[in-house]
């Protein structure tokens, strides 16, 4: 009996520690979201009247696909361009005006014209070490992304949006986080008029591409995400909504570092509180 009580006591302590840690993580490293002077729908309408153009890198990935869908649906931009390694077969009539620029990422300097004339850029480009190997991961997540940002800046892009990762740090001993941190820093040095870095935690999405470790993590995070929605995870639809809400907000910050909780907050702008 004493052993049973001690076991319950230990489990309770572990649970309290876990809850405390999750609560702490939910309130860590947040950025002050600008106060809206107008309601969100008005801000969106005002932005549409500016006739802005945008491009998307990584439109075949889960975030990129969701982002393109929301951009096309919202008609927030006057012109939408997808930049990728192959032409995508869009059959939906809603995508008929989407411009597709096919490039060779190994020879991006030869495709500088694809990056010209865009006001806003969204980069959702990325792979994994498991899929592409260490060298392949660095080439895609670092080389392709940094070179694309460089060409976008030269082509007149004013606002660059980067999908990075929670924990990104150029000094990290973990390759993934180190590369993400290096990319963030190198693009910042390019001096965009506005540079928005999104650092989502575990992305909640049913991937078409099989990633067993991510699938297991998502299943384990479901109950945690319900109780602590901003601590460890974020639905891809939330990331996309945050990106687009952030675009229409007036912001004086040249560089915005948006953590997982910030992404949740941005996505909920304009949503009535219960």
């Amino acid at each position: 009996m004493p052993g049973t009580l001690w076991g319950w006591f230990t489990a309770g302590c572990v649970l309290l520690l876990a809850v405390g840690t999750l609560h702490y993580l939910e309130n860590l490293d947040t950025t002050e979201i600008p106060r809206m002077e107008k309601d969100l729908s008005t801000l969106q309408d005002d932005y549409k009247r500016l006739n802005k153009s945008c491009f998307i890198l990584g439109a075949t990935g889960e975030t990129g696909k969701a982002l393109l869908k929301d951009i096309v649906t919202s008609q927030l931009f006057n012109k939408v361009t997808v930049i990728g390694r192959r032409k995508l077969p869009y059959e939906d009539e809603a995508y008929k005006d989407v411009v597709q620029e096919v490039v060779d990422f190994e020879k991006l300097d030869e495709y500088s014209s694809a990056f010209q004339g865009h006001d806003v850029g969204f980069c959702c480009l990325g792979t994994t070490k498991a899929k592409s190997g260490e060298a392949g991961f660095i080439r895609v997540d670092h080389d392709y992304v940094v070179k694309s940002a460089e060409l976008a800046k030269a082509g007149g892009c004013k606002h660059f949006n980067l999908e990075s990762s929670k924990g990104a740090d150029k000094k990290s001993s973990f390759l993934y986080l180190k590369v993400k941190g290096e990319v963030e820093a190198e693009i910042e040095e390019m001096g965009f008029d506005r540079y928005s870095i999104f650092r989502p935690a575990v992305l909640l999405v049913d991937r078409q591409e099989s990633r067993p470790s991510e699938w297991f993590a998502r299943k384990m995070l479901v109950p945690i995400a319900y109780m602590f929605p901003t601590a460890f995870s974020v639905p891809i639809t939330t990331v996309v909504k945050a990106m687009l809400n952030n675009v229409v907000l007036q912001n004086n910050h040249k560089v915005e570092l948006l953590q997982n909780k910030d992404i949740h907050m941005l996505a909920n702008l304009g949503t009535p509180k219960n």
Side-chain angles (χ1 to χ4, degrees):
M1 186 67 176
T4 302
L5 291 174
W6 177 251
W8 281 110
F9 174 77
T10 302
C13 289
V14 171
L15 180 60
L16 286 173
L17 178 62
V19 169
T21 301
L22 288 168
H23 180 74
Y24 170 75
L25 288 171
E26 280 211 299
N27 294 279
L28 184 67
D29 294 332
T30 58
T31 301
E32 183 178 352
I33 304 301
R35 179 177 297 178
M36 291 192 300
E37 300 298 332
K38 303 177 183 178
D39 63 82
L40 186 60
S41 61
T42 301
L43 289 173
Q44 291 168 339
D45 289 339
D46 289 346
Y47 193 85
K48 290 176 185 179
R49 282 191 282 271
L50 296 175
N51 292 321
K52 299 277 189 178
S53 61
C54 77
F55 71 82
I56 301 174
L57 284 163
T60 58
E62 300 298 339
T63 305
K65 282 189 294 186
L67 177 62
L68 176 59
K69 181 179 179 181
D70 275 20
I71 286 177
V72 168
T73 301
S74 67
Q75 298 182 325
L76 201 59
F77 296 93
N78 185 53
K79 179 182 177 183
V80 181
T81 301
V82 168
I83 301 175
R85 64 175 71 250
R86 66 180 186 277
K87 190 170 183 178
L88 303 174
Y90 295 125
E91 298 179 357
D92 194 316
E93 183 68 14
Y95 292 80
K96 64 182 177 62
D97 293 326
V98 173
V99 178
Q100 296 200 56
E101 294 283 358
V102 178
V103 303
D104 183 346
F105 283 98
E106 295 292 333
K107 304 175 182 178
L108 274 179
D109 278 322
E110 299 178 11
Y111 298 88
S112 59
S113 61
F115 294 86
Q116 292 180 357
H118 307 290
D119 299 296
V120 181
F122 296 95
C123 183
C124 306
L125 196 63
T127 186
T128 63
K129 183 179 175 182
K131 179 181 178 181
S132 304
E134 183 173 320
F137 164 70
I138 294 173
R139 188 165 63 252
V140 174
D141 283 59
H142 178 275
D143 300 351
Y144 292 177
V145 173
V146 171
K147 187 61 181 180
S148 295
E150 180 184 310
L151 293 174
K153 179 66 166 62
C157 180
K158 304 298 183 184
H159 183 189
F160 194 82
N161 296 269
L162 175 69
E163 182 185 23
S164 184
S165 172
K166 182 180 177 69
D169 182 354
K170 63 182 180 181
K171 296 180 181 179
S172 176
S173 57
F174 294 98
L175 178 66
Y176 182 83
L177 299 179
K178 180 181 180 181
V179 169
K180 294 294 186 183
E182 289 173 344
V183 169
E184 289 181 0
E186 289 175 39
I187 295 178
E188 182 176 350
E189 292 175 359
M190 296 178 191
F192 283 93
D193 288 3
R194 187 179 179 190
Y195 176 35
S196 304
I197 304 166
F198 293 83
R199 286 184 175 178
V202 176
L203 295 171
L204 299 179
V205 62
D206 291 326
R207 288 186 185 273
Q208 292 182 353
E209 175 188 354
S210 177
R211 295 184 184 179
S213 60
E214 285 192 4
W215 178 89
F216 180 74
R218 288 195 301 273
K219 295 300 181 184
M220 292 293 291
L221 282 171
V222 167
I224 298 176
Y226 179 78
M227 296 181 64
F228 302 93
T230 69
F232 279 139
S233 62
V234 60
I236 273 183
T237 52
T238 299
V239 176
V240 167
K241 191 172 182 181
M243 285 181 168
L244 297 184
N245 284 353
N246 190 56
V247 162
V248 304
L249 284 176
Q250 297 300 317
N251 196 320
N252 295 323
H253 297 298
K254 189 176 179 67
V255 179
E256 304 166 285
L257 184 57
L258 300 158
Q259 303 288 353
N260 200 59
K261 184 173 183 179
D262 302 318
I263 293 171
H264 280 272
M265 292 171 64
L266 277 166
N268 288 326
L269 287 179
T271 302
K273 296 181 179 179
N274 294 328

